[in-house]
Amino acid sequence: MAPHDRPVIGFLTDFGLDGAAAICKGVMLSIAPDAQIVDISHSVGKYAIRDGAYLLWTALPWLPVGVHVAVVDPGVGTARRPIAVRTGRGDALVGPDNGLLMPAASRLGGIVEARLIENSAWTLRRSSATFHGRDIFAPVAGHLAAGGAFDDVGPAIDPTELVGLELPPAKVVNDQLGSEVVYVDSFGNLRLAGGAADLRAALVALEHADELLLELGRGGEARRATARWARTFGDVRQGELLLYEDSSGNLALAESGGNAAVRLGATTGTWVGIRRA
Amino acid sequence: MAPHDRPVIGFLTDFGLDGAAAICKGVMLSIAPDAQIVDISHSVGKYAIRDGAYLLWTALPWLPVGVHVAVVDPGVGTARRPIAVRTGRGDALVGPDNGLLMPAASRLGGIVEARLIENSAWTLRRSSATFHGRDIFAPVAGHLAAGGAFDDVGPAIDPTELVGLELPPAKVVNDQLGSEVVYVDSFGNLRLAGGAADLRAALVALEHADELLLELGRGGEARRATARWARTFGDVRQGELLLYEDSSGNLALAESGGNAAVRLGATTGTWVGIRRA
Amino acid sequence: MAPHDRPVIGFLTDFGLDGAAAICKGVMLSIAPDAQIVDISHSVGKYAIRDGAYLLWTALPWLPVGVHVAVVDPGVGTARRPIAVRTGRGDALVGPDNGLLMPAASRLGGIVEARLIENSAWTLRRSSATFHGRDIFAPVAGHLAAGGAFDDVGPAIDPTELVGLELPPAKVVNDQLGSEVVYVDSFGNLRLAGGAADLRAALVALEHADELLLELGRGGEARRATARWARTFGDVRQGELLLYEDSSGNLALAESGGNAAVRLGATTGTWVGIRRA
């Protein structure tokens, strides 16, 4: 990292709102006083690595190139490795080697270099076994933001040996597109895999306002609903379901003016099948 | 806007805490790296334009003159217009033309100039239909904060043709003052319309510690309670209700050490009648 | 306070997420435009002075030396005094004289000077009776962060006459260590008093993986559970309880991958007795 006037540090955790994230920020600012820290979220579901990975994947492309640190870390203090990776875009991503950083890294140009965090001059002297956010990840992010060389993180490791995590893909079978619910956002919108092109491949000659048949869940427990293919919420009536291409270019299912997750009883991992009504 | 060393951007949305606000901040900081972004709230009730308008009205007078961007936008992607307005105080307010900005603008010296956002050099090239916070409002706020001319937002429009929104007024009838609950704050205090002067006009010779009779709701469903007219929470006993002039100069109803909204079953829009006990 | 390039202001309240904290930040930034404000928490339980005191005690040691302002203030507008204290480490802490600042001050080197806030040039002209965060504490913090002299806060007062607050201690009786739950963190981990040394004094020859017997609550209502003494969450199986030394050096009780507070029905103040199984 070249030093910037105001280096940006993106910051995501499952720490909640009661002080742990602020402690990490205090550590970062002690090392990099001019950092511009952007809280991506600290309300990631506890231990929900995939939710955290999804949120980084949606958010980081829109943050300036910088140092980004993420901590959703059920394995804190065990053998799982603390890592930093350099992306094709020029970011440094810092966090646990549990897959959390992988989808975002891939979207930022891929991993061009990975290092094991081992520089004891960059981490806190007496590290706890339960708060590596404070003791390891925050100070490393601070040093990188302050202009420290990526080489100084620790020894290079093989990027292909990092713990992988892939967001679930869409599946097209015959005239149907299926996807797990990848993420439920704060509006209750169900974020799915695949984009408009995938849907058009499954459902030929698709036009806005076309009616679709949804099947939620699998087998005997599946529930049915109908939705319209639409550009945006206001294109259907209040209370109607719509399927749309979301702001990340993926399919998503919403209730106009309402909460689709509550209405459909869907959560992360629920299977959604989509075909013509 | 003249460029400042650290231009302030106030930011309010109903996006919740899972990353959408951070995406907008990333866009703003990419354009205006020195901006000092102040999160007013991202926990506004979903689609609750009036709640958002109330919070902007309470908060913006206390923020430095700056660029302030607000997004509570059920009509995103439809024909509702994206706008920026200049206030008498010198702020630029950016958001949807759905009334959200109006009470605050009025309190900041009124609208001296309004413009339709149309400058495609200031908005993101490929705008989504569902996330104008990221694609339109954030980048326009960033450009204004970075010193861009207000004229460059887009064509001037007639301020009187903007969608209006007025916070509900207090009503004085005979010896009673009535108001809708305008907002329920995080303590459960019921923020009402009208100030101490209005109450004194209705209830002559009002003194602190006087007992008041409250009627909540209308007609056959109305519930009764008593409260004291007081300066502050500690002026009455724990668990007693008090009516006071809040920090915005409006009437408010609280339970000392408790939650008046829960106790009284009141929400935004509940009618509250106040007279002498 | 010597002026810094980017003076840090730590900020903790029970104001919630709907705008009151932002109003205070607006006031601070109007006075100290270059301040780097770190939100410690605004989700402290309403009126929960001890929770706020605990969070300041855990967080402030990790923030840079700065001005830190805290408002959990059920006595706002009454006779309780607004104060600022200077710590041995060099911080200025600003808030109500209700004990909130005391544990943190003690941990930052103790109080070397205390002053009553009385400088009317530093507080807002028309102070409300219900929002001293905005009218008194935020502007005083802003002036201190902008380089104002601590002497200018107001008259010196005797630190020994400040309202005290001590976090509960651990008690060792025979072969048992007991503690109230001092704080329940956002993971549901029960933060206790005392450290590993205290536990080892009560339970001689304690080794990691040893099984412990817990008694929650007192007398006839006490519930029993077993836990292992461990370094970190991943050292026991998912769903097992563990007792560990937390990142502040205190004992804490967690469920690996779960929420101990929910599982054990424990809240702040619940008594926990710990002995060998």
Side-chain angles (χ1 to χ4, degrees), chain A residues 171-221:
Chain A
K171 289 181 188 162
V172 176
V173 181
N174 301 324
D175 56 348
Q176 172 162 330
L177 180 140
S179 166
E180 283 184 46
V181 173
V182 180
Y183 184 74
V184 179
D185 73 22
S186 79
F187 288 84
N189 301 337
L190 308 178
R191 305 301 182 110
L192 306 175
D198 300 292
L199 190 66
R200 287 207 181 85
L203 281 60
V204 284
L206 183 70
E207 303 274 358
H208 280 132
D210 282 358
E211 202 171 50
L212 305 170
L213 187 66
L214 308 174
E215 212 165 274
L216 288 107
R218 296 199 201 239
E221 297 172 27

Side-chain angles (χ1 to χ4, degrees), chain A residues 6 17 36 38-41 43 55 58-59 62-64 183 185-187 231-234 244 247 257-258, chain B residues 6 14-19 22-23 26-27 29-30 33-35 46-47 76-78 124 129-131 134:
Chain A
R6 306 221 48 212
L17 302 179
Q36 179 85 274
V38 176
D39 293 301
I40 297 169
S41 179
S43 301
L55 290 176
T58 61
W62 304 96
L63 264 61
Y183 184 74
D185 73 22
S186 79
F187 288 84
R231 280 174 56 261
T232 189
F233 315 111
Y244 63 105
S247 53
Chain B
R6 305 222 48 213
D14 64 350
F15 290 168
L17 302 179
D18 66 344
I23 289 171
V27 171
L29 293 172
S30 298
D34 292 319
K46 300 300 189 194
Y47 321 118
V76 60
T78 65
L124 298 197
T130 54
F131 197 1
R134 179 191 73 188

Side-chain angles (χ1 to χ4, degrees), chain A residues 9 24 48 61-62 64 81 108 115 140 148 159 196 206 215 241 247 252-253:
Chain A
I9 302 178
C24 297
W62 304 96
R81 302 184 296 181
L108 297 174
R115 291 191 176 263
V140 166
L206 183 70
E215 212 165 274
L241 294 170
S247 53
L253 184 59

Side-chain angles (χ1 to χ4, degrees), chain A residues 104-126:
Chain A
S106 167
R107 203 166 175 191
L108 297 174
I111 297 178
V112 297
E113 190 181 352
R115 291 191 176 263
L116 184 65
I117 297 176
E118 258 193 20
N119 180 349
S120 62
W122 278 16
T123 56
L124 298 197
R125 234 169 321 164
R126 294 186 47 199

Side-chain angles (χ1 to χ4, degrees), chain C residues 46-101:
Chain C
K46 300 300 189 194
Y47 321 118
I49 296 169
R50 202 177 86 176
D51 279 1
Y54 174 82
L55 290 176
L56 289 172
W57 176 85
T58 61
L60 287 186
W62 303 96
L63 264 61
V65 173
V67 177
H68 306 299
V69 55
V71 192
V72 179
D73 190 15
V76 61
T78 65
R80 74 93 191 86
R81 302 184 295 181
I83 57 167
V85 302
R86 221 153 45 77
T87 71
R89 196 181 77 160
D91 309 86
L93 310 187
V94 178
D97 178 23
N98 63 12
L100 179 64
L101 308 173

